Amino acid sequence: MPLETDAMKALSEHPCFNEDAHRKFARMHIPVAPACNIQCNYCNRKYDCSNESRPGVTSEVLSPEEAVEKIRLVKERIPELRVIGIAGPGDPMANENTFRTLELVKDEFPDLTLCISTNGLALPENADRLHSLGVKFVTVTMNAMDPDIGAEVYKFVVWNGKRLEGREGAEILLEKQLEGIRRCVELGMVVKINVVMVPGINDEHIPELVKKVKSMGVYIVNILPLIPVEGTAFAGLRAPTPEERKALMDECSLDVRMMRHCRHCRADAIGLLGEDRSQEFADMGGCSSGCGPGPQMINLEGTRDSSRYAVASADGKNVDSGFGNAKRFLIYKARNGSFEPAGEAFVDVKEDVSGQSHRKHIESIVSSLGDCGCVVVGEIGPMPSKVLKNLGIRVVIDSGPIEDCLKRAV
């Protein structure tokens, strides 16, 4: 389907989709989406890491209202600002704040172009919603057309409340990616595909993927090099050489446009591509009073007992809640290979947990867990994850029957 007229106009000013625009026009990524619904083997979403420039990294997480306030400030200083993107630090489709943010930005800044970057798992059911909110550009990170290859790239996928690993998870992810891409193209949105090139895993498979997405109406493809990151399953793999990556892009350029000016942007990137100014604005508005920049150290006394586990469970049988939205944690004591119930901790769930209130909410949760040395949760954001690590509390992300999850945690 041909692109809509207004999308074509916006394309001329989008620095990521149009190489001619990247020296003239600026973009701003607003980090309002910390939760993610998959775990890639190359991804380690670090909160408050100002010295790194790669996807998934941010120095703060903003509420929708804080994001709008920050856009006002940036717009005053960077008149070349044209695009507002949401690219994490998790997956935008896994965070309701994404849609609230888009609504607010659309109302206050109708002159700015809205852009989303997603893994595509929840794209089919959200494509129409994104379109109604004015999103014209969608980037889908897609690393395999073969589920067996996908099983090597993705550690797990969380779908309908279940953690799916291996081929099973890769199959559902691929199905939803293709369905979501198809719908976005039908709606007239401009679609870009990001592919992470992992030597020995998916590099020889990428041309096949490119041919497929081109046939579906994708506008441009960006082949990103693997960045081996400490703490990930791919930490020991090598990155592709510039020559290897260029050769692959040259081959694939016979089928579709290649993005050759990518700068591996952070989830809070601001400014022209290659001239990131995010740290210049890190102390302006947003979470400056309680959530960043700089690591937030919560001072809680006491030592941690590595044999005590706090499990986020609403039904009392399964790990079924995230760290921030859990109303109850069940406490277990590991003893002689078994787990003995050792109490419960109830949490007062707050709706507004951004900025200073976010910090206080985390503090109240940690305090209620006493001396537990490990928490087992369905999901957790980058900021609380780092806080728990600083306090010596191990975090295990899992789902399913409590005893099974505890055994895996041990």
Side-chain angles (χ1 to χ4, degrees):
M1 178 178 178
L3 298 177
E4 296 176 352
T5 303
D6 56 346
M8 288 299 295
K9 179 181 182 300
L11 181 63
S12 67
E13 298 180 342
H14 198 306
C16 299
F17 284 69
N18 185 342
E19 186 170 4
D20 293 335
H22 87 277
R23 295 185 182 88
K24 306 174 186 177
F25 303 109
R27 82 314 189 203
M28 177 180 179
H29 290 175
I30 43 178
V32 297
C36 196
N37 47 14
I38 72 174
Q39 178 61 60
C40 302
N41 283 327
Y42 53 76
C43 182
N44 185 1
R45 303 189 317 277
K46 290 185 177 180
Y47 184 89
D48 185 35
C49 192
S50 61
N51 295 321
E52 290 191 76
S53 181
R54 58 177 171 80
V57 171
T58 182
S59 289
E60 59 187 353
V61 173
L62 305 177
S63 71
E65 292 73 21
E66 289 169 339
V68 169
E69 180 183 350
K70 192 161 187 175
I71 292 171
R72 293 191 197 109
L73 297 169
V74 172
K75 205 167 183 285
E76 289 178 4
R77 288 198 184 182
I78 306 181
E80 302 83 12
L81 182 66
R82 293 293 187 276
V83 176
I84 299 297
I86 302 179
D91 187 81
M93 301 298 94
N95 297 262
E96 185 60 30
N97 271 356
T98 293
F99 303 99
R100 174 61 178 159
T101 303
L102 292 171
E103 183 180 9
L104 294 176
V105 176
K106 178 187 177 185
D107 290 344
E108 182 160 343
F109 309 102
D111 56 318
L112 296 179
T113 296
L114 298 178
C115 184
I116 287 290
S117 182
T118 175
N119 59 49
L121 180 63
L123 186 56
E125 64 263 39
N126 288 301
D128 287 82
R129 189 179 183 189
L130 292 174
H131 186 256
S132 70
L133 289 170
V135 174
K136 293 183 173 67
F137 295 86
V138 176
T139 294
V140 180
T141 299
M142 186 178 182
N143 298 310
M145 279 296 302
D146 182 339
D148 288 328
I149 295 176
E152 296 186 61
V153 177
Y154 308 107
K155 184 177 181 180
F156 64 80
V157 168
V158 179
W159 178 248
N160 287 339
K162 296 181 179 180
R163 171 173 162 152
L164 307 177
E165 300 181 356
R167 183 183 175 89
E168 183 181 17
E171 281 183 333
I172 190 67
L173 176 60
L174 175 60
E175 174 189 335
K176 298 303 175 183
Q177 287 172 332
L178 294 175
E179 185 181 343
I181 292 168
R182 187 177 297 109
R183 182 56 183 155
C184 287
V185 171
E186 289 174 352
L187 291 167
M189 291 188 275
V190 188
V191 179
K192 173 164 68 74
I193 300 299
N194 280 353
V195 188
V196 178
M197 179 182 178
V198 186
I201 302 291
N202 73 340
D203 49 342
E204 295 183 359
H205 171 67
I206 290 175
E208 177 187 341
L209 186 157
V210 169
K211 286 182 171 65
K212 174 62 178 180
V213 298
K214 170 61 177 178
S215 72
M216 298 177 67
V218 164
Y219 179 76
I220 192 169
V221 172
N222 179 22
I223 299 177
L224 295 148
L226 169 71
I227 302 175
V229 177
E230 182 180 354
T232 68
F234 284 175
L237 300 186
R238 71 172 182 88
T241 66
E243 293 77 16
E244 289 172 332
R245 181 166 167 252
K246 181 181 183 303
L248 182 58
M249 287 193 292
D250 289 345
E251 178 183 351
C252 292
S253 67
L254 300 175
D255 296 300
V256 72
R257 293 178 185 86
M258 287 284 113
M259 180 182 179
R260 297 178 185 264
H261 58 288
C262 179
R263 295 297 182 269
H264 315 149
C265 296
R266 297 160 53 95
D268 60 356
I270 298 173
L272 301 175
L273 265 68
E275 298 178 15
D276 182 45
R277 296 171 60 180
S278 59
Q279 293 308 303
E280 176 184 335
F281 297 94
D283 61 346
M284 300 176 63
C287 299
S288 59
S289 63
C291 191
Q296 298 299 310
M297 298 301 294
I298 298 177
N299 297 317
L300 296 173
E301 298 180 356
T303 58
R304 303 296 165 189
D305 184 347
S306 61
S307 68
R308 290 175 64 85
Y309 295 75
V311 178
S313 176
D315 66 4
K317 299 177 181 178
N318 299 283
V319 178
D320 56 13
S321 304
F323 180 81
N325 60 18
K327 296 181 180 179
R328 177 180 66 169
F329 286 81
L330 302 180
I331 311 300
Y332 289 86
K333 173 77 172 180
R335 195 189 306 273
N336 299 325
S338 62
F339 302 94
E340 302 174 357
E344 298 182 13
F346 291 90
V347 178
D348 182 16
V349 177
K350 305 290 186 181
E351 291 187 6
D352 178 16
V353 289
S354 57
Q356 182 70 8
S357 63
H358 190 191
R359 180 179 181 275
K360 291 181 178 178
H361 182 57
I362 294 172
E363 183 172 356
S364 67
I365 295 175
V366 175
S367 179
S368 70
L369 301 182
D371 63 349
C372 288
C374 178
V375 296
V376 184
V377 294
E379 63 179 28
I380 188 171
M383 191 270 200
S385 180
K386 180 162 185 173
V387 167
L388 293 178
K389 180 179 179 180
N390 288 338
L391 292 171
I393 301 175
R394 189 162 61 95
V395 176
V396 174
I397 300 175
D398 207 341
S399 62
I402 290 175
E403 185 169 353
D404 293 346
C405 292
L406 286 173
K407 288 179 180 178
R408 287 193 288 267
V410 172

